[in-house]
Amino acid sequence: MKKTIKWGILGPGKIARKFAQDLLLHPDAEIYAVASRDSERAANFAAEFNVSRKYVSYQELVQDPEVDIIYIATPHVFHYEQAQLCLNAGKNILCEKPFGMNAREVTAISELAGNKELFAMEGIWTRFIPGTEKVLEIINSGAIGEILNIKADFGFLGNENTTRRVYDISLGAGSLLDIGIYPVYLSLLLQGIPKTINAMASFAAGGADIWCGILFDFENGSKAILESTMLANTEIEAVIYGSRATLIMHHRFHHTKQITVNYHNGTQETFNIGYTGNGYYHEIQEVMHCLKNGQTESQKVPLEMSLKLAATLDKIREIIGLKYDADLQHQK
């Protein structure tokens, strides 16, 4: 592929702006096009980031022959339809998490990408953060021994304003898919697929889960205690208890800049590890590397991992009774 890779932005919202700021940091990336159904939002985004093309329909974006890859940054419920739109038009995609509303949708996206021989990746930026890479290095070295237990939380104090996206069930809202996905992903990354899942939740009047507590049990006896909530500002830390040491991914663990290892012999190590830009730069680096080397998947966030994550989230939702239109439509 050519040296300069032209990006299209589908959905110029808050996350897309942070992502675009990091795209500007990569010497071989160009923010070439943006599409929004709101012409004013598209125009404002184009002006802010000096974007060459602005479109008021997603169809126009995917039909632009100059666009190499499209970053999908719309609410959850639109990811399935828009990923298919992009892939069917021959465009590579990076789609914000969750990839789809359920495992059925993620499977369909993955199969379509494979059939089209196009790059597709779920935007789990956590995996590429230097702090996460350091945690994997420490664990793989055997420094903390066997993982016995993981505790991870993600919570913020909301106001239950049902007009906000995070409470709008029709847009795929709820603590589990919005923020609980981070503790769940960390556990899958470090411990694999759980043997048994237990969970409970509390719900807002509109149907979105506002608190979710999860317990994973693994074949080797390891456990994970995970929480997501919109009822409180929690520590947003991850504590990994090993047979030799305890490792702490400090606030906010999903893009941590500080790691502490407390060894059972009384010694301690602290690692301060920054990241570039808003943190999305490292994810962008991976995507650019894959495209330039003709890879259709990232080895760090392969489609198989996205399928496992979606299937795990489905099981949790089944236990707590959380359903979305995408689930109900499939049952008709």
Side-chain angles (χ1 to χ4, degrees), residues 49-156:
F49 295 101
N50 193 28
V51 179
S52 301
R53 298 284 185 272
K54 55 181 183 290
Y55 298 115
V56 293
S57 83
Y58 302 143
Q59 190 67 44
E60 288 180 294
L61 174 65
V62 303
Q63 289 177 341
D64 188 325
E66 291 294 312
V67 174
D68 296 310
I69 182 167
I70 293 175
Y71 171 62
I72 301 170
T74 50
H76 310 338
V77 292
F78 303 120
H79 292 175
Y80 173 62
E81 173 191 344
Q82 291 163 355
Q84 288 193 317
L85 175 69
C86 295
L87 291 168
N88 279 320
K91 300 302 183 188
N92 301 296
I93 59 168
L94 171 63
C95 181
E96 262 309 319
K97 54 81 189 164
F99 218 173
M101 291 303 298
N102 50 45
R104 177 182 59 85
E105 290 190 349
V106 175
T107 299
I109 295 169
S110 300
E111 289 178 350
L112 181 58
N115 291 337
K116 296 285 185 178
E117 297 183 344
L118 292 166
F119 177 85
M121 191 182 90
E122 185 174 12
I124 305 177
W125 67 313
T126 294
R127 176 61 184 84
F128 308 100
I129 294 291
T132 302
E133 296 277 18
K134 185 64 178 178
V135 167
L136 290 169
E137 177 189 318
I138 294 168
I139 290 173
N140 291 336
S141 75
I144 73 166
E146 290 184 36
I147 295 176
L148 306 176
N149 181 19
I150 289 179
K151 287 184 181 179
D153 68 89
F154 197 140
F156 65 88

Side-chain angles (χ1 to χ4, degrees), residues 266-332:
T267 61
Q268 182 185 82
E269 281 187 291
T270 298
F271 304 91
N272 294 296
I273 305 168
Y275 51 75
T276 302
N278 297 313
Y280 295 95
Y281 179 80
H282 307 283
E283 175 183 65
I284 291 166
Q285 269 191 316
E286 173 73 3
V287 174
M288 297 283 283
H289 172 80
C290 290
L291 290 176
K292 290 187 175 188
N293 286 277
Q295 298 171 227
T296 57
E297 291 187 51
S298 162
Q299 293 183 355
K300 293 183 177 180
V301 181
L303 295 175
E304 182 183 4
M305 172 56 91
S306 293
L307 289 167
K308 289 177 179 177
L309 178 58
T312 303
L313 292 169
D314 280 0
K315 289 178 182 177
I316 296 168
R317 292 200 295 112
E318 183 180 356
I319 293 168
I320 65 175
L322 175 60
K323 289 188 179 296
Y324 295 102
D325 286 345
D327 307 311
L328 302 175
Q329 288 168 6
H330 181 55
Q331 293 173 358
K332 291 179 182 179

Side-chain angles (χ1 to χ4, degrees), residues 24 42 45 100 105 154 196 209 236 301:
L24 293 176
F45 189 94
E105 290 190 349
F154 197 140
T196 306
D209 64 292
I236 315 182
V301 181

